[in-house]
């Protein structure tokens, strides 16, 4: 069969408000019917090569979790404070402005990296963007490793931050395009698993670094990242570009070649090509080209852009920077030694990894919407309980806060920490998936700035002195977030991109998507 495009799907009105009838070619209808019929086991067996490349993309994002942790904990290493700080009360301290500057450098890099990647992927594809990101990352690690002044270290944080913005932009979109329908949510949610795993590895490296002396007690945190880069670069030459990107740039034969490479010669290549053509063209008629960042804000797409980016604001507004960053501090307030609190924090990180793995099951069993909705509800209750306990002046109450922080950590990773990624990747139209994810990365970085810069002033005893009472603020924001999710986040579980586009185009209320039916009928003519 040729790679002929099916006509843009015409609307055929149905009597039921929750039923949509769309037209398609026989090839497309057969392909999508088979995708719906595959069990998870069958989908993994048929698509294991494509899944392996999704895992490679998530491998790049392990560095996101590792670097974000290393950049924060390095200030707690005495040798680093000695080299980059000044004497104070018999010890050394790094100036608070530089500490904020190091955080700002990483966050700026992530935002800027997400922005330029949106343009770069559109024009050049993912492979060149990843290559440039690795080169910049290598330079940033080099500068951090050999830096002798805070200014040099600041420059290194910017250079490592930009690649992080690139990796978190390209990985989820690539995974959502290659993953089979039956496990698309679980695969895309693996993005968060990579980040949490990077943090856990960072804790392990930090613990081993304690056996070194001198500058290597902190430099080993940066040198380890060269190993990540080496493995990533070794595999990159074999990286297959997504068929969606290739078709959008008119490289149809290369797209067919990559589909065969990712699946095998017996795979329904014509069916997937028909699906790709339809997904790229249906929201813009005969234009299959990649969309732009500006188009994401058009009247036609603004709501989808808002849905795709909102979950990252909600993630940061749920208190993740506070709970994850200050848990050890609260344990020490409860009388736990610094060393014991560190070990317990590592254990909590392991619990978060398990929670994220549970998230793979939740997004497929309960759906993206329900996982995010009920997860937000449980997190809200946990935060209000932490706030109430913070009002009680007792060490036992502090232990209660620590317990609920642990519960929060598990629930967060299993719900909104996991569900945000498939929600952001599945809701944009296929033409705008890459630029929308670029905006989501920017939203992640910008909303992180709000809490990263305000938390020290809100919590520290010499400033706002809120302590655990800040949980009331996070809880209140999540109440609003719960309402937002109820009205605006649709259920995309088990939906092909054709079906998702159709329901969006019909302005189907988000809370009705789960029971909505999309019936595909064969059109009387195909475009040859």
């Amino acid at each position: 069969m040729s790679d002929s495009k099916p006509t843009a799907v015409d609307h055929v009105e149905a009597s039921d408000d929750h039923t949509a009838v769309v037209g398609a070619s026989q090839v497309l209808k057969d392909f999508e019917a088979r995708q719906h019929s595959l069990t998870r086991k069958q989908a993994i067996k048929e698509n294991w090569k494509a899944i392996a490349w999704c895992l490679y993309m998530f491998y790049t994002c392990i560095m996101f979790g590792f670097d974000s942790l290393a950049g924060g904990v390095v200030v707690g290493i005495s040798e680093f404070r000695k080299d980059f700080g000044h004497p104070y009360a018999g010890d050394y301290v790094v100036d608070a402005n530089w500490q904020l500057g190091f955080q700002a450098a990483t966050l700026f890099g992530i935002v800027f990296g997400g922005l330029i990647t949106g343009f770069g992927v559109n024009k050049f594809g993912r492979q060149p963007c990843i290559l440039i990101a690795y080169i910049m990352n290598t330079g940033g690690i080099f500068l951090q490793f050999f830096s002798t002044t805070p200014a040099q270290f600041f420059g290194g944080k910017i250079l490592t931050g930009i690649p992080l913005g690139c990796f978190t932009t390209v990985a989820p979109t690539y995974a959502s395009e290659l993953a089979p329908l039956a496990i698309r949510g679980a695969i895309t949610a693996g993005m968060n698993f990579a980040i949490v795993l990077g943090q856990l590895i960072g804790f392990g490296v930090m613990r081993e670094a304690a056996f070194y002396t001198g500058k290597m007690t902190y430099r080993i945190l940066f040198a380890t990242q060269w190993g990540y880069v080496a493995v990533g670069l070794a595999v990159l030459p074999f990286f297959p570009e997504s068929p969606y990107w290739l078709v959008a740039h008119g490289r149809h034969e290369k797209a067919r070649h990559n589909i065969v490479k990712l699946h095998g010669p017996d795979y329904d290549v014509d069916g997937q090509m028909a699906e790709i053509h339809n997904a790229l063209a249906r929201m813009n008629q005969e234009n299959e080209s990649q969309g732009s960042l500006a188009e994401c804000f058009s009247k036609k797409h603004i709501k989808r852009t808002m849905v795709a980016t909102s979950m990252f604001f909600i993630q940061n507004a749920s208190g993740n920077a506070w709970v994850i960053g200050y848990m050890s501090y609260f344990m020490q307030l409860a009388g736990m030694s610094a060393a014991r609190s560190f070990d317990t924090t590592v254990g909590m990180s392991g619990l978060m990894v398990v929670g994220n793995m549970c998230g793979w099951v939740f997004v497929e069993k309960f759906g993206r919407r329900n996982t995010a909705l009920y997860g937000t509800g449980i997190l809200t209750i946990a935060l209000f309980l932490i706030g109430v306990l913070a009002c009680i002046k007792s060490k036992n109450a502090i232990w209660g806060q620590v317990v609920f922080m642990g519960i929060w950590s598990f629930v967060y990773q299993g719900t909104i920490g996991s569900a945000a990624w498939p929600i952001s990747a599945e809701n944009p139209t296929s033409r705008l998936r890459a630029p929308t994810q670029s905006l989501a990365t920017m939203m992640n970085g910008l909303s992180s700035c709000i809490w990263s810069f305000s938390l020290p002033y809100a919590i520290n005893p010499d400033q706002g002195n809120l302590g655990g009472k800040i949980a009331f603020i996070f809880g209140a924001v999540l109440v609003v977030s719960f309402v937002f999710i109820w009205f605006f986040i649709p259920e995309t579980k088990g939906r092909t991109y054709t079906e998702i586009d159709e329901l969006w185009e019909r302005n189907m209320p988000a809370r009705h998507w789960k029971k909505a039916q999309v019936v595909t009928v064969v059109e009387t003519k195909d475009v040859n």
Side-chain angles (χ1 to χ4, degrees):
M1 292 185 183
S2 64
D3 293 336
S4 58
K5 296 182 292 184
T7 59
V9 179
D10 296 325
H11 293 223
V12 182
E13 299 298 336
S15 57
D16 187 348
D17 289 339
H18 296 149
T19 302
V21 180
V22 296
S25 66
Q26 184 67 56
V27 173
L28 176 57
K29 180 182 179 182
D30 292 344
F31 179 80
E32 294 201 341
R34 187 171 189 280
Q35 292 302 304
H36 280 295
S37 69
L38 289 176
T39 65
R40 294 187 179 94
K41 184 177 181 180
Q42 290 171 334
I44 293 172
K45 183 178 180 180
E46 185 173 287
N47 297 273
W48 69 269
K49 292 180 182 178
I51 294 172
W53 281 109
C54 293
L55 296 180
Y56 168 75
M57 294 298 280
F58 294 148
Y59 167 83
T60 67
C61 296
I62 291 177
M63 298 179 68
F64 185 100
F66 187 99
D67 186 85
S68 62
L69 176 78
V73 302
V74 72
V75 179
I77 300 176
S78 59
E79 196 68 27
F80 181 87
R81 296 197 302 270
K82 179 180 177 181
D83 289 347
F84 293 90
H86 57 269
Y88 179 80
D91 197 357
Y92 289 87
V93 62
V94 178
D95 187 89
N97 291 325
W98 275 120
Q99 291 188 46
L100 287 175
F102 297 155
Q103 292 184 45
T106 297
L107 293 173
F108 168 79
I110 291 172
V111 173
F112 184 68
L115 175 63
I116 60 175
T117 301
F119 294 104
V121 169
N122 189 3
K123 188 172 181 62
F124 305 108
R126 294 174 175 86
Q127 189 177 46
C129 291
I130 295 173
L131 176 61
I132 294 172
Y134 270 136
I135 293 172
M136 292 186 66
N137 194 261
T138 302
I141 297 169
F142 185 93
L143 188 54
Q144 288 180 88
F145 187 90
F146 291 103
S147 61
T148 56
T149 66
Q152 292 173 349
F153 190 77
F154 177 84
K157 296 305 293 180
I158 292 179
L159 283 178
T160 55
I162 293 174
L164 300 183
C166 172
F167 296 145
T168 53
T169 298
V170 299
T173 56
Y174 185 85
S176 68
E177 291 175 355
L178 263 64
L181 180 63
I183 55 171
R184 189 178 63 201
I187 293 294
T188 312
M191 174 74 189
N192 196 56
F193 175 77
I195 295 173
V196 177
L197 182 60
Q199 293 173 341
L200 184 60
I201 294 172
F203 275 121
V205 172
M206 182 181 177
R207 185 168 181 79
E208 291 301 311
F211 296 102
Y212 289 84
T213 58
K215 297 180 184 296
M216 287 304 294
T217 55
Y218 63 86
R219 283 183 171 178
I220 193 66
L221 282 170
F222 311 122
T224 302
Q225 296 180 67
W226 276 321
Y228 287 117
V229 174
V231 174
L233 284 174
V235 178
L236 186 59
F238 308 100
F239 175 80
E241 182 56 79
S242 166
Y244 278 82
W245 186 90
L246 293 168
V247 171
H249 289 77
R251 300 173 61 183
H252 296 183
E253 287 305 315
K254 179 64 175 177
R256 293 182 65 89
H257 171 79
N258 279 12
I259 291 174
V260 173
K261 180 179 180 180
L262 290 165
H263 299 92
D266 297 330
Y267 187 74
D268 185 4
V269 177
D270 293 305
Q272 180 155 13
M273 287 294 289
E275 181 186 55
I276 293 171
H277 282 305
N278 186 76
L280 291 171
R282 62 176 279 100
M283 295 301 289
N284 203 39
Q285 297 304 317
E286 296 304 313
N287 184 1
E288 291 184 342
S289 64
Q290 291 274 280
S292 64
L293 282 169
E295 194 176 343
C296 295
F297 296 100
S298 67
K299 183 179 179 180
K300 188 176 183 179
H301 297 289
I302 183 64
K303 188 175 179 181
R304 298 177 74 164
T305 301
M306 179 183 68
V307 166
T309 58
S310 62
M311 287 306 302
F312 294 100
F313 176 86
I314 294 173
Q315 275 189 347
N316 290 310
S318 69
N320 58 358
W322 173 61
V323 175
I324 297 172
Y326 288 83
M327 189 180 297
S328 178
Y329 173 65
F330 273 85
M331 291 176 184
Q332 292 177 47
L333 285 179
M336 186 181 288
S337 67
R340 185 73 179 273
S341 68
F342 175 77
D343 289 341
T344 306
T345 303
V346 174
M348 288 292 186
S349 296
L351 180 65
M352 287 190 285
V353 171
V354 175
N356 187 254
M357 294 172 71
C358 291
W360 304 346
V361 178
F362 295 160
V363 296
E364 294 296 355
K365 184 174 180 60
F366 305 114
R368 288 63 154 155
R369 171 185 165 86
N370 283 344
T371 299
L373 183 69
Y374 295 118
T376 301
I378 296 172
L379 292 175
T380 302
I381 295 171
L383 286 167
F384 280 129
L385 288 173
I386 292 173
V388 170
L389 290 170
C391 298
I392 303 173
K393 303 299 181 182
S394 166
K395 278 197 173 183
N396 289 331
I398 294 178
W399 275 116
Q401 292 180 62
V402 172
V403 169
F404 280 109
M405 281 180 164
I407 294 172
W408 182 99
S409 300
F410 179 85
V411 174
Y412 170 84
Q413 297 297 344
T415 58
I416 63 174
S418 298
W421 298 99
I423 289 173
S424 70
E426 292 175 350
N427 278 285
T429 183
S430 294
R431 291 184 61 252
L432 297 176
R433 189 169 297 116
T436 303
Q437 188 61 47
S438 174
L439 293 172
T441 299
M442 296 169 66
M443 172 64 80
N444 195 7
L446 290 172
S447 57
S448 291
C449 289
I450 297 173
W451 302 108
S452 296
F453 297 152
S454 62
L455 274 174
Y457 298 102
I459 294 175
N460 286 355
D462 60 341
Q463 298 289 333
N465 195 30
L466 287 177
K469 298 184 186 71
I470 196 173
F472 286 126
I473 297 176
F474 292 120
V477 175
L478 283 194
V479 170
V480 178
S481 300
F482 184 91
V483 176
F484 174 85
I485 294 172
W486 172 263
F487 285 106
F488 291 100
I489 303 297
E491 182 54 76
T492 53
K493 171 192 170 185
R495 299 288 190 188
T496 66
Y497 289 129
T498 297
E499 294 170 341
I500 292 172
D501 285 342
E502 182 65 24
L503 293 175
W504 270 112
E505 198 169 2
R506 289 175 178 269
N507 292 317
M508 180 77 68
R511 60 188 181 278
H512 294 160
W513 275 45
K514 186 175 182 179
K515 57 184 177 182
Q517 297 182 43
V518 180
V519 180
T520 303
V521 298
V522 178
E523 293 177 326
T524 57
K525 62 177 181 177
D526 290 332
V527 177
N528 294 317

